[in-house]
Amino acid sequence: MGTEFIYDAVVIGGGPAGATAAQTLAKKGKQVLLLDKRGRVKPCGGAIPPRLIKDFEIPDELLVAKAKSARMVSPVGKTVDIPIENGFVGMVDRAQFDEWLRVRAVAAGATREDGLFETLTREGPLARIHYRTRGARDGDSGAIKSVLTRAVIGADGAKSQVGRSAGVQGCAEANYVFAYHEIIKTPPNTPHHFDSTRCDVVYQKPISPDFYGWVFPHGDTISIGTGSADKGFSLRNAVAKLRADVGLEGAELIRHEGAPLPMKPLKKWDDGQQVVLAGDAAGVVAPASGEGIYYAMLGGQLAGEAVYEFVESNDPAKLQLARKRFMKEHRMTFWVLGIMQYFWYSTDKRRESFVKMCEDKDVQKLTFESYMNKKLVRKKPLAHIKIFFKDMGHLLGLAKA
């Protein structure tokens, strides 16, 4: 009887984080198994900034639309249109985009298998991954299989089963926003106020009491969704209302998805032995904006690099590098956005002031430069000071009220 094959790494979850982690390791010559659950698509507006397109070499044909502006809609219906100067925000369909990333990982040398993670057990310095294969037809229970691996990357979404099995402490329940969206077919005659190059963000209580709703064009389709941390709030009813509000209630429904979105990075991403988390599993969805694709792919790349260093050195401390490197680059952004969501999204009065503040050209310019390039813009300190005092004016005005 032969010796059982040992993978260098098993990546669990084939979304942007997992697919990027698998590709990163495969390109470095490691034996990687990408274990993915067939047919899972996350609710997502599908916006990707130029920094992602450049850093991760995303071909133009994957962009189903290019947004040239954003419209913010206040609680009382006031709109602020923000042009995206000198560029665009790419829009992708997650079903197509995620599959393309998985195929790219396989092309780099990763092995892909369709299966559902069950549990993780330890065998000395190795981990054994137990998973259930999918049957030939949906509904078939499949068979339980297992593989041995030196390292594990859990990219299996919020409330990660891998993280729980490995004993990595999870996010507090209060840090989740629950998201739901519907992908509808773009009707031949769209309402006159619909713009196929504009992303609409709606800050209205019936659509979301504490987050926002969105209408994002995807070329032949449109993503309409919302999110809320209020478990008693009906996301489906809110999306139905939003569809009616924008005149798209009669459009054909193609698919719908729902999932929790973490709003705070975990304090620890690894178990100190073989496992490191990436993407939603690590909590890297940006507060306030809910943006996750770029941060997921960067987290996946950093997890892949940390696992490579771990496998090469047999030093489990190397697994900590994924979080250290991520937070060094983006800690301030997450801190600022977290405060913004906590304060500005808490009441309709504050959300009204927030949308009003976004009329300011300095705010618009710095916000989009930071979003597009994924850096808090530091080259214009006077503009930052100016915005700080404007922001404080709004805060003090609210404090008096």
Side-chain angles (χ1 to χ4, degrees), residues 71 190-195 198 200 245-247:
R71 168 170 287 180
T190 54
H192 70 279
H193 49 75
F194 175 79
D195 183 342
R198 187 187 71 220
D200 290 5
D245 288 350
V246 296

Side-chain angles (χ1 to χ4, degrees), residues 28 35 80 91 98 103 129 151 191 214 234 376 387 400:
K28 290 178 177 291
L35 189 63
V80 175
M91 308 302 293
D98 291 16
V103 169
I129 299 299
W214 69 83
S234 172
L376 290 173
I387 287 171
K400 287 176 193 167

Side-chain angles (χ1 to χ4, degrees), residues 278-293:
D280 282 13
V284 293
V285 175
S289 70
E291 185 199 356
I293 304 177

Side-chain angles (χ1 to χ4, degrees), residues 89-245:
V89 173
M91 308 302 293
V92 296
D93 183 292
R94 285 291 299 273
Q96 176 194 6
F97 181 73
D98 291 16
E99 178 61 15
W100 184 87
L101 292 174
R102 291 188 284 267
V103 169
R104 181 163 74 169
V106 171
T111 300
R112 177 181 174 184
E113 189 160 354
D114 181 16
L116 181 64
F117 173 80
E118 293 267 321
T119 191
L120 172 155
T121 53
R122 316 280 184 176
E123 297 189 14
L126 304 176
R128 184 175 290 279
I129 299 299
H130 305 263
Y131 62 99
R132 185 178 293 278
T133 62
R134 296 286 286 264
R137 298 185 306 276
D138 284 340
D140 289 357
S141 60
I144 292 287
K145 290 175 68 174
S146 73
V147 292
L148 277 176
T149 181
R150 293 183 173 85
V152 181
I153 295 176
D156 55 333
K159 305 187 179 182
S160 166
Q161 184 71 27
V162 175
R164 288 204 296 271
S165 283
V168 180
Q169 192 175 3
C171 286
E173 191 69 28
N175 291 325
Y176 288 105
V177 162
F178 294 86
Y180 169 77
H181 83 151
E182 297 180 355
I183 296 286
I184 60 172
K185 195 166 185 177
T186 304
N189 300 309
T190 54
H192 70 279
H193 49 75
F194 175 79
D195 183 342
S196 62
T197 65
R198 187 187 71 220
C199 293
D200 290 5
V201 181
V202 182
Y203 297 100
Q204 294 181 338
K205 204 164 192 174
I207 305 303
S208 171
D210 53 358
F211 200 58
Y212 66 80
W214 69 83
V215 181
F216 285 4
H218 285 185
D220 293 339
T221 63
I222 302 166
S223 166
I224 301 187
T226 189
S228 175
D230 181 351
K231 287 184 180 177
F233 183 75
S234 172
L235 299 175
R236 284 176 184 255
N237 289 348
V239 169
K241 176 171 172 37
L242 183 53
R243 282 182 62 171
D245 288 350

Side-chain angles (χ1 to χ4, degrees), residues 39-60:
R40 177 77 177 93
V41 182
K42 180 187 161 188
C44 175
I48 60 171
R51 172 81 184 268
L52 184 154
I53 295 167
K54 175 175 171 285
D55 286 3
F56 296 100
E57 300 174 331
I58 304 303
D60 201 62

